[in-house]
């Protein structure tokens, strides 16, 4: 996977009220970039633009060398795992186990391999005892873990995680940290959108600060 590049992107939800204002940024595919800033500064919006979920009104986002405007969600999904701030947005199945297997089954891949992968992720995220439960009966922390597990199931090349530690207790946050370190050692880069400063300091090799839709600080430009 090549870098993700945004070139003077502008984005508005409502006409003439841009929330991302001519942002340019180059994100190295193997690095860990944190996106920080106050509530409403545009972190989630920029994350979705970098993930190809939203398309810029002007300017361009390049994902793995391709212009995001020309990419379908499936093109993007094969490269980038995107964690929504609200984990409920990930839920498409009626049980935890099915939630992990659904994409695999749609692609008609080897069921044994899918089962093994699902089992490993359920174990890792401590959801084995909930395998048959409806996702809608899970706590927020469990849902967040399930959402992460379902993204990691398809082994993406890059991760964009919006508030991954929200709703996790201290122990589970440490477990998530350890897991992300393992994932990173495999060469998977990520963008972490987070208000959790300790988590950001621990993982990020670069910190980008947004304010009112603009990048106002980037630790990379200090080097
Ligand atoms: N679906 C939407 N429709 C209209 N305006 C929106 C929508 N989503 C976000 N906004 C507005 O866009 C701006 C940026 O929002 P965004 O969610 O990207 O910020 P954020 O930095 O992720 O905030 P938070 O830290 O609260 O998650 C805010 O002014 C917000 O009110
Ligand atoms: Mg947000």
């Amino acid at each position: 996977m090549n870098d993700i590049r945004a070139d003077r992107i502008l984005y508005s939800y409502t006409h003439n009220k841009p929330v991302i204002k001519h942002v340019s940024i180059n994100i190295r595919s193997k690095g860990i970039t944190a996106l920080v800033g106050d509530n409403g500064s545009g972190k989630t919006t920029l994350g979705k633009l970098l993930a190809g979920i939203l398309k810029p009104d002007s300017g361009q986002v390049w994902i793995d060398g391709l212009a995001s405007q020309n990419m379908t969600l499936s093109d993007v999904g094969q490269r980038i795992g995107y964690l929504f701030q609200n984990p409920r947005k990930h839920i498409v199945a009626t049980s935890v186990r099915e939630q992990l297997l659904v994409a695999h089954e749609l692609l008609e891949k080897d069921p044994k391999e899918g089962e093994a992968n699902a089992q490993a992720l359920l174990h890792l995220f401590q959801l084995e005892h909930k395998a048959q439960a409806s996702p809608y009966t899970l706590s927020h922390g469990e849902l967040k873990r399930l959402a992460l597990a379902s993204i990691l199931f398809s082994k993406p090349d890059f991760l964009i995680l919006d508030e991954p530690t929200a709703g996790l207790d201290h122990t589970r946050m440490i477990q998530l940290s350890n897991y992300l370190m393992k994932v990173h050692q495999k060469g998977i880069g990520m963008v972490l959108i987070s208000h959790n400063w300790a988590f950001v300091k621990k993982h990020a090799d670069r910190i980008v600060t947004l304010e009112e839709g603009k990048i106002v600080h980037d630790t990379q430009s200090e080097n």
Side-chain angles (χ1 to χ4, degrees):
M1 158 106 180
N2 290 301
D3 293 357
I4 300 177
R5 207 153 51 79
D7 190 14
R8 288 187 61 77
I9 53 172
L10 189 77
Y11 187 83
S12 318
Y13 290 101
T14 40
H15 188 63
N16 270 345
K17 265 205 211 155
V19 295
I20 295 296
K21 302 167 184 168
H22 302 293
V23 166
S24 296
I25 189 169
N26 187 19
I27 292 175
R28 285 182 302 111
S29 61
K30 307 270 184 223
I32 301 186
T33 303
L35 216 52
V36 304
D38 291 343
N39 292 120
S41 57
K43 304 179 297 295
T44 293
T45 308
L46 182 57
K48 285 181 180 171
L49 286 159
L50 295 173
I53 294 169
L54 296 175
K55 318 285 185 188
D57 299 335
S58 70
Q60 231 162 18
V61 172
W62 301 89
I63 296 169
D64 201 12
L66 305 168
S68 76
Q69 282 100 320
N70 304 328
M71 295 176 86
T72 62
L73 280 184
S74 151
D75 292 334
V76 172
Q78 284 165 30
R79 293 170 172 85
I80 299 179
Y82 178 85
L83 179 72
F84 284 97
Q85 191 164 358
N86 177 359
R88 284 187 184 274
K89 294 205 171 154
H90 287 274
I91 303 309
V92 293
T94 54
S95 81
V96 166
R97 187 179 156 280
E98 263 316 297
Q99 172 67 27
L100 294 181
L101 286 169
V102 73
H104 192 82
E105 285 171 359
L106 282 176
L107 295 172
E108 295 183 351
K109 291 191 179 164
D110 178 11
K112 271 196 192 136
E113 187 194 310
E115 194 54 55
N117 193 9
Q119 204 47 47
L121 283 164
L122 288 174
H123 179 70
L124 186 79
F125 286 98
Q126 296 174 293
L127 290 167
E128 281 161 311
H129 62 298
K130 297 277 180 171
Q132 305 306 328
S134 158
Y136 290 99
T137 65
L138 302 183
S139 70
H140 185 77
E142 287 167 344
L143 259 184
K144 202 94 195 181
R145 274 144 54 210
L146 176 60
L148 259 172
S150 55
I151 291 166
L152 293 166
F153 188 91
S154 54
K155 303 192 168 89
D157 297 325
F158 193 83
L159 295 170
I160 298 181
L161 307 179
D162 200 345
E163 304 286 358
T165 67
L168 299 190
D169 62 25
H170 185 70
T171 310
R172 295 218 162 90
M173 201 181 83
I174 304 281
Q175 284 162 350
L176 175 67
S177 277
N178 292 340
Y179 187 68
L180 290 181
M181 280 193 272
K182 270 193 229 159
V183 168
H184 185 235
Q185 277 162 11
K186 288 186 190 159
I188 297 175
M190 49 194 100
V191 168
L192 300 175
I193 298 172
S194 184
H195 282 110
N196 183 333
W197 194 242
F199 185 77
V200 163
K201 290 286 266 189
K202 181 167 179 186
H203 293 289
D205 52 41
R206 175 186 186 187
I207 300 174
V208 175
T209 310
L210 275 183
E211 208 175 283
E212 294 181 8
K214 289 185 182 168
I215 293 174
V216 292
H217 193 248
D218 183 348
T219 55
Q220 185 169 272
S221 51
E222 288 170 356
N223 301 325

